[in-house]
Amino acid sequence: MFTPDTSFSESSEHYYQSLNEQLAALLAGETDFICNAAQFSAFIMQTLNDLNWAGFYFARDNELVLGPYVGKVACTRIPFGRGVCGKAAMTATTQRIANVHEFEGHIACDAASASELVVPLFVGEKLFGVFDIDSPSVDRFSEIDQAGIEALLATFLQATTIQWSI
Ligand code: SME
């Protein structure tokens, strides 16, 4: 059983360093793409407060297709360029949106979502998807959260053998 150590103060650099060590231990010995993506989503939901959705979309033929996640059922396909996820995919930059209701083209999968962080994921130069987290609070994600989650995703990528299709 995994019991997260969340004794550091929430959303600090130390908190994320501690999470990164715990994540590396959790994923050690497992390289499967779907397995690790599912574990990663659950790990984020279990260790960060005030989230209502965390999960992956994978790139397939100019759109993003829903992957492993934790949260309410979500939109299954998002064209590149649409919504916060599509913008992260198209621009290859992390989108940290303080208030999604002010983001033109935001796709509301869960009406409770108020702020969102979407990180594009690459293997070499090739985009293979995005990781998306939503919060019911406006301005939930700080620069420290962004850097911390990007670092956690780097650990996920290091541990995982990425496969797009079978
Ligand atoms: N809000 C996202 C869609 C995905 S869900 O939040 C799970 C967007 O605008 O791309």
Side-chain angles (χ1 to χ4, degrees), residues 1-2 7 18 22 24 41 48 50 56 63 67 71 73 76 80 83 85-86 99 101 115 119 141 144 146 152:
M1 192 181 78
F2 171 72
S7 50
S18 159
Q22 295 176 64
S41 303
L48 298 182
D50 204 21
F56 291 83
E63 55 182 9
V73 295
T76 53
F80 284 179
C85 291
N99 185 347
H101 302 297
S115 58
V119 181
F141 305 109
I144 288 176
Q146 178 176 338
L152 290 169

Side-chain angles (χ1 to χ4, degrees), residues 21-33:
E21 285 161 22
Q22 295 176 64
L23 178 70
L26 181 70
L27 300 184
E30 181 55 71
T31 60
D32 186 89
F33 182 33

Side-chain angles (χ1 to χ4, degrees), residues 53 57 74-75 78 82-86 105-109 113 116 132 134:
W53 203 91
Y57 280 89
C75 329
I78 300 174
R82 276 208 58 213
V84 184
C85 291
H106 167 249
I107 303 164
C109 292
S113 299
E116 184 161 5
D132 177 18
D134 290 14

Side-chain angles (χ1 to χ4, degrees), residues 131-148:
F131 182 70
D132 177 18
I133 53 180
D134 290 14
S135 167
S137 299
V138 170
D139 208 8
R140 160 68 180 83
F141 305 109
S142 66
E143 282 180 25
I144 288 176
D145 292 310
Q146 178 176 338

